[in-house]
Amino acid sequence: MLTHVDDRFESADAEAEHRTASLHREFGGPLRRHVRGLTGNDLRWTEDVVREAIGKAGRDPARRHWEPGLLWAWLVTEARRLVRDGCRRDGVHAQETAADGADRALSAIVVSAALRDLSEEHREVIEQTYLRGRTISEAAEILGIPPGTVKSRLYYGIKALRALLADKGVAG
Amino acid sequence: MHEGVAAYVLGVLDEDEHEAFERHLDTCASCQAELKELAETPDLLDELKFLPAASEDDPPMPMPR
Ligand SMILES: [Zn+2]
């Protein structure tokens, strides 16, 4: 039971536990809502992903001094990776939630139009990695270009996509 | 190394590169800023699943011009 113990006297384990609990309080609710969108509202899977992502952040001393905006960006990125790993491992697709279909179809059309406006090289690497569920090296093999080139094109492609979407009023 | 931030955000780095990038991210202020900027972009790409023509076996691709 830790009441008011100076950080320096806590063991590394107790400190990680403490940190994890505080991250759960700060980010647990919003992260759970976000992850439910990725798992197709699978509550047990969502809970596992949230616990694993927050636990990893809590154990890592390098994350200790990050500000909330950066921590949130890291948490959603880690959670997405965990969901995708789960899909790849089990060969399942997260169920799509049927909610607000019309709005989603509309954003889908906007995003699809923005992809079409990208250069062929940029569009190709986004399709062959993220949209096909492939890693950089898998995509590199399929495209017959070095992994470093895929990675670099992906960087500039994603930046270009973001700029196009910002012009269309998405991703402000 | 900095260019890896897009692949990292999209979760398409291979395992060893993912670990390496996370260590880079610990201290690289410019990648931290880009992570914040790009963190929501995969959600936008996920919207493509809601294209009217989307089907499970054939992930939605933009039509050729
Ligand atoms: Zn960097």
Side-chain angles (χ1 to χ4, degrees):
Chain A
M1 205 72 70
L2 298 164
T3 42
H4 192 75
V5 184
D6 188 306
D7 277 353
R8 283 169 300 177
F9 299 125
E10 283 188 38
S11 71
D13 277 359
E15 198 177 331
E17 216 170 282
H18 199 232
R19 173 73 172 149
T20 300
S22 115
L23 288 170
H24 267 287
R25 278 191 301 277
E26 191 172 358
F27 297 103
L31 189 61
R32 205 164 279 122
R33 276 191 293 282
H34 186 88
V35 174
R36 279 167 64 175
L38 303 177
T39 61
N41 227 4
D42 181 324
L43 299 185
R44 226 182 79 185
W45 189 7
T46 297
E47 226 27 63
D48 287 348
V49 166
V50 166
R51 202 172 323 109
E52 195 169 338
I54 289 184
K56 187 177 168 193
R59 281 190 304 275
D60 195 335
R63 313 270 173 269
R64 201 141 299 160
H65 305 291
W66 281 9
E67 48 92 11
L70 179 57
L71 270 171
W72 172 254
W74 184 87
L75 285 168
V76 298
T77 302
E78 178 65 15
R80 172 183 304 283
R81 192 178 73 93
L82 292 168
V83 170
R84 281 173 78 84
D85 279 0
C87 291
R88 284 169 69 91
R89 196 178 47 239
D90 305 334
V92 298
H93 296 276
Q95 243 183 6
E96 289 151 24
T97 39
D100 44 52
D103 277 1
R104 308 213 77 150
L106 187 64
S107 347
I109 288 163
V110 173
V111 175
S112 156
L115 266 178
R116 260 203 310 279
D117 287 343
L118 290 178
S119 73
E120 177 63 35
E121 284 186 349
H122 287 165
R123 181 170 57 244
E124 181 178 71
V125 291
I126 294 173
E127 284 175 3
Q128 291 299 331
T129 57
Y130 188 73
L131 295 178
R132 295 272 180 191
R134 297 193 184 114
T135 65
I136 293 280
S137 60
E138 289 165 350
E141 197 163 318
I142 284 162
L143 293 169
I145 53 179
T149 308
V150 177
K151 207 192 290 181
S152 165
R153 282 185 192 169
L154 195 53
Y155 176 77
Y156 292 103
I158 285 294
K159 303 272 272 190
L161 180 69
R162 246 191 84 79
L164 286 169
L165 288 171
D167 284 349
K168 292 171 198 279
V170 190
Chain B
M1 193 62 175
H2 304 305
E3 289 179 355
V5 70
Y8 172 75
V9 164
L10 295 173
V12 298
L13 286 173
D14 296 272
E15 193 61 32
D16 49 335
E17 292 210 44
H18 176 84
E19 301 297 327
F21 187 82
E22 287 223 305
R23 299 283 61 102
H24 172 76
L25 189 63
D26 289 346
T27 53
C28 179
S30 118
C31 284
Q32 291 175 1
E34 296 221 84
L35 170 63
K36 280 169 68 175
E37 211 179 286
L38 296 176
E40 313 281 327
T41 305
D43 296 320
L44 294 169
L45 286 170
D46 287 347
E47 296 291 324
L48 290 174
K49 285 188 298 198
F50 298 94
L51 268 189
S55 90
E56 287 249 326
D57 307 316
D58 187 20
M61 291 294 132
M63 306 299 285
R65 258 176 234 268

